[in-house]
Amino acid sequence: MSDSDSRTLVILKEKGSTARLLNLLRFYMRPEGAPEGPPIFRNRLLRRAIVTKHCVAANDRSFADGRRHATKIILPLNAEDLRLGGRYFLLGQDNYAEVRRELWGDAHEDRSHDEEILGLLEGAPSLDPFLLREVFQRSQVRIDPAFLDLSENDQMEMFNFARSELSALAVALFGDAAADTDMQNKLVRKLLFNDETGQIEPLRLALKLDENNYAEGMFAWKGFLYFKWRYSKLVEEAPDVARGLQQVYATGNLDPEEKSAIRETRDNVSRRLAELTAAIPPFLSAYDNALSQLTEGGDASAFRDFLLDSPRIFLALGERMGVLDHIISVWSFMFPAGKKPMMPGSDLMELLAEFETLLTRFKYATPRSIQPVEDPAQPRAATG
């Protein structure tokens, strides 16, 4: 395991999770112990794992298919001292059959359950707890919700945000009576927090969607609302991170070449982080435009078309939001407001290089209208 992985483990011991990191170990390190309900994994080692969305290096020979990103499962060697690092494997790596035998042996029932979970984590665009809860619910996987805890404050903030976003939709669906706060609250609870599919029959009929397409569209719709709320929070923190990147001080004895490398990497991270921050709003605007055509123009077909295409847009947006959320969350944790950003030069270079690797995942272009639907990193296949 690399030094950067070990550093990440130490950070997570205190911080918890980010959009690219799901820390299950922390639940077993609490004085009160882990939640009593069904855990995410049945395997003893996996229950205490740290899951990450991992950028595959160009020279990484773990995959024959040359994929660019993967899901990494880290199994810490010592929960009491995470600086010691741990073992890890990548889902689908070339010797994955050996990993399966080592973890589960002949426990086929447990392996079947855990591999289903691993598949769901690999397919999720982000490890945000809200989105993972939706992923598990759609697949009818029962876990103790405490393992995917969204703080009460965050839940309330998101609820209020969604209510404001959907007030015009409530009126469009149910008439002027929906201006009543209770009606709006009911609609938001139905859409965001219902344990079932969240089906709102008048909306499904207006959009002329069958139940399967409706369920897929609702999942992505919840994701768009969540990402829009998260983005509104992140852009408030982004200026502090940008300033911190320019002010960060590398301690220790560094030669001129090392200082130059840190400056160059820092400037590259700053530029690409600004590009990423600016690249996300057009994705959200595509959603806003489609919804406004329904609520203001009464054009259900535009929003229907958006929902049918939304899973593809949602995946592209989710990857970008995951990187932005992760970088801002980790930086803000390591260098709280009011604290001068400084760290040993070697550690700073590793941190900046990690950020740079994440940010170079995407190629940016100025989108036109609804062009962000196309993921520049994964061009859509042409249809005849």
Side-chain angles (χ1 to χ4, degrees):
M1 175 171 291
S2 69
D3 290 340
S4 62
D5 280 328
S6 297
R7 184 185 62 251
T8 295
L9 292 182
V10 174
I11 293 171
L12 286 177
K13 181 179 180 181
E14 302 297 332
K15 186 186 188 311
S17 301
T18 76
R20 294 184 61 83
L21 295 146
L22 174 64
N23 180 11
L24 299 180
L25 175 65
R26 65 190 174 107
F27 294 105
Y28 295 89
M29 301 292 291
R30 304 182 308 178
E32 67 271 29
E36 296 181 357
I40 293 179
F41 291 106
R42 294 177 181 174
N43 179 274
R44 179 179 58 85
L45 293 175
L46 290 178
R47 286 185 184 184
R48 293 164 172 78
I50 293 175
V51 184
T52 77
K53 291 291 185 178
H54 173 68
C55 289
V56 179
N59 61 350
D60 194 327
R61 299 183 180 180
S62 298
F63 299 96
D65 58 11
R67 69 182 65 182
R68 297 169 61 183
H69 59 282
T71 301
K72 176 186 281 189
I73 310 298
I74 302 173
L75 308 173
L77 291 176
N78 187 331
E80 300 297 332
D81 188 356
L82 297 183
R83 291 172 298 179
L84 297 177
R87 296 180 297 152
Y88 75 88
F89 63 92
L90 303 173
L91 297 188
Q93 67 184 44
D94 289 346
N95 66 336
Y96 192 54
E98 297 177 18
V99 172
R100 294 168 69 182
R101 285 195 297 271
E102 182 178 349
L103 278 174
W104 297 287
D106 296 325
H108 298 295
E109 183 179 349
D110 287 351
R111 189 174 79 180
S112 175
H113 172 272
D114 289 349
E115 288 195 324
E116 179 185 4
I117 298 298
L118 291 172
L120 293 174
L121 295 176
E122 184 174 28
S126 166
L127 298 177
D128 282 295
F130 175 83
L131 295 179
L132 288 185
R133 185 188 63 183
E134 295 299 319
V135 167
F136 290 149
Q137 285 182 349
R138 291 173 75 214
S139 298
Q140 298 183 329
V141 173
R142 290 186 63 255
I143 65 166
D144 191 315
F147 283 105
L148 297 174
D149 55 345
L150 198 63
S151 72
E152 290 186 11
N153 184 58
D154 281 351
Q155 288 189 51
M156 181 58 68
E157 282 193 24
M158 185 181 174
F159 181 86
N160 290 333
F161 177 85
R163 185 175 60 189
S164 174
E165 288 281 308
L166 299 177
S167 59
L169 175 63
V171 173
L173 285 177
F174 305 111
D176 293 338
D180 179 80
T181 302
D182 290 339
M183 181 81 72
Q184 292 181 20
N185 289 347
K186 183 178 180 181
L187 175 64
V188 173
R189 281 195 296 268
K190 188 75 171 176
L191 180 62
L192 291 184
F193 303 119
N194 197 331
D195 290 339
E196 305 298 327
T197 61
Q199 183 164 305
I200 304 166
E201 191 64 11
L203 179 60
R204 187 182 75 82
L205 294 175
L207 296 174
K208 299 179 181 178
L209 290 172
D210 62 38
E211 293 191 3
N212 287 335
N213 283 330
Y214 182 82
E216 290 292 322
M218 288 299 102
F219 171 68
W221 190 0
K222 294 176 187 182
F224 274 104
L225 282 170
Y226 179 76
F227 284 145
K228 195 172 180 182
W229 169 72
R230 280 297 297 153
Y231 186 75
S232 71
K233 305 282 288 182
L234 293 173
V235 292
E236 294 178 358
E237 302 178 47
D240 290 336
V241 175
R243 283 191 294 271
L245 282 167
Q246 293 305 313
Q247 298 169 358
V248 68
Y249 178 74
T251 61
N253 295 322
L254 303 175
D255 59 39
E257 187 174 324
E258 291 171 325
K259 292 180 180 178
S260 177
I262 288 176
R263 284 195 301 270
E264 181 179 350
T265 307
R266 178 202 64 193
D267 291 345
N268 193 30
V269 168
S270 295
R271 183 182 70 256
R272 290 185 178 275
L273 185 60
E275 290 173 344
L276 176 60
T277 305
I280 289 173
F283 284 85
L284 301 175
S285 294
Y287 159 73
D288 288 338
N289 292 338
L291 183 60
S292 67
Q293 291 183 65
L294 171 64
T295 58
E296 298 174 14
D299 182 4
S301 62
F303 194 63
R304 176 183 185 275
D305 292 342
F306 177 82
L307 286 183
L308 288 173
D309 207 30
S310 59
R312 183 168 56 87
I313 313 171
F314 177 59
L315 290 173
L317 174 60
E319 287 187 81
R320 287 157 175 77
M321 278 293 301
V323 170
L324 181 65
D325 197 331
H326 175 75
I327 290 175
I328 290 179
S329 297
V330 169
W331 186 273
S332 299
F333 173 78
M334 296 184 69
F335 306 114
K339 177 181 178 181
K340 184 176 181 180
M342 63 172 62
M343 67 188 310
S346 59
D347 291 345
L348 178 59
M349 187 62 202
E350 285 184 7
L351 180 65
L352 293 173
E354 177 188 340
F355 289 170
E356 185 178 41
T357 299
L358 292 173
L359 290 164
T360 52
R361 164 77 177 84
F362 309 111
K363 298 177 182 177
Y364 302 109
T366 302
R368 298 184 302 274
S369 179
I370 202 169
Q371 188 179 350
V373 169
E374 302 295 344
D375 182 356
Q378 307 232 347
R380 191 180 186 184
T383 54

